Amino acid sequence: EPEVTQTPSHQVTQMGQEVILRCVPISNHLYFYWYRQILGQKVEFLVSFYNNEISEKSEIFDDQFSVERPDGSNFTLKIRSTKLEDSAMYFCASSEALGTGEQYFGPGTRLTVT
Amino acid sequence: GDSVTQMEGPVTLSEEAFLTINCTYTATGYPSLFWYVQYPGEGLQLLLKATKADDKGSNKGFEATYRKETTSFHLEKGSVQVSDSAVYFCALIIQGAQKLVFGQGTRLTINP
């Protein structure tokens, strides 16, 4: 069964450093998403991406965040200058259609900022 | 704004026990409702869904009914198994929107 993959599974970085989290969505999906979950809190939407541009973003997704689909398979989330409060589990998801809620999630990348 | 509230966890049950995980929601529009499950080391997987009032979603012995009058979507299973141990997330999406809105998740542990 097709699945969403994410790398790395765990990333440790120092405050102020740039990190890139990588995702390979399901191949025939057109819509891509990033969510995050800070320890003990809810899973929160960050951004959705379609047709090579951001289609919706949350208040959390400020100028230090960016997303890119550099080739036909990868979907990346970049955090330019990490802060302690960016420590969280980051989930990538993809879907065939928009608005159905049927999104396929990767296993997540745990980001620890020290 | 839109939000989902789940019962506090963690929940620990014995095998073959009856399971209920409560979920209530607040929505500005007309939502579809979901339960997602996350097994250890894996991503969130769609467990079941309901798109309109009084719909019942079901899968793998789990059921949930969309109750508009009580704004609830409680998850139930009549006889749980050890393999049901996971984190369960209630979620909604507003018609026409792109983002899922999640509850905080409930960790379920089933002991043999």
Side-chain angles (χ1 to χ4, degrees):
Chain A
E1 186 174 329
E3 58 182 18
V4 176
T5 60
Q6 290 185 245
T7 54
S9 56
H10 191 190
Q11 172 92 47
V12 181
T13 190
Q14 288 190 325
M15 195 167 51
Q17 295 297 303
E18 175 183 285
V19 293
I20 297 176
L21 309 184
R22 291 182 167 81
C23 168
V24 179
I26 294 174
S27 60
N28 65 332
H29 286 182
L30 300 176
Y31 303 90
F32 314 111
Y33 314 84
W34 284 100
Y35 292 81
R36 78 173 186 188
Q37 185 179 30
I38 295 171
L39 190 63
Q41 298 186 22
K42 295 184 178 184
V43 175
E44 304 171 288
F45 170 80
L46 293 178
V47 65
S48 59
F49 190 86
Y50 169 69
N51 200 25
N52 280 322
E53 59 183 29
I54 291 172
S55 48
E56 185 176 344
K57 61 182 181 179
S58 71
E59 293 175 352
I60 302 166
F61 195 88
D62 60 22
D63 291 344
Q64 70 160 340
F65 290 93
S66 63
V67 290
E68 192 178 32
R69 188 153 163 85
D71 53 42
S73 59
N74 290 283
F75 179 50
T76 62
L77 174 69
K78 182 191 291 186
I79 309 174
R80 289 191 182 81
S81 177
T82 50
K83 305 171 190 170
L84 293 176
E85 54 265 37
D86 293 328
S87 295
M89 181 72 88
Y90 288 80
F91 294 104
C92 173
S94 67
S95 66
E96 263 186 292
L98 194 64
T100 65
E102 294 188 31
Q103 298 176 13
Y104 292 77
F105 285 78
T109 292
R110 180 165 297 286
L111 177 65
T112 302
V113 182
T114 62
Chain B
D2 305 321
S3 67
V4 176
T5 302
Q6 290 179 234
M7 66 185 291
E8 293 289 327
V11 174
T12 302
L13 296 172
S14 297
E15 206 166 19
E16 299 184 3
F18 184 85
L19 169 71
T20 300
I21 301 178
N22 290 337
C23 170
T24 57
Y25 67 89
T26 303
T28 52
Y30 195 72
S32 295
L33 303 174
F34 306 85
W35 279 97
Y36 275 80
V37 59
Q38 185 182 27
Y39 299 104
E42 300 183 16
L44 283 74
Q45 304 172 21
L46 179 62
L47 179 61
L48 54 84
K49 68 174 185 178
T51 57
K52 61 183 188 295
D54 299 325
D55 265 3
K56 179 185 284 189
S58 61
N59 187 21
K60 299 182 181 180
F62 291 90
E63 292 182 339
T65 301
Y66 189 142
R67 301 284 188 203
K68 190 177 178 184
E69 63 276 13
T70 54
T71 62
S72 65
F73 193 56
H74 305 320
L75 183 68
E76 297 182 334
K77 186 174 185 182
S79 176
V80 292
Q81 306 300 312
V82 172
S83 57
D84 294 326
S85 297
V87 182
Y88 291 81
F89 295 89
C90 187
L92 67 81
I93 194 166
I94 299 299
Q95 193 173 33
Q98 300 179 36
K99 64 178 184 184
L100 284 161
V101 176
F102 286 93
Q104 65 267 44
T106 301
R107 182 173 298 278
L108 173 67
T109 301
I110 307 300
N111 293 321

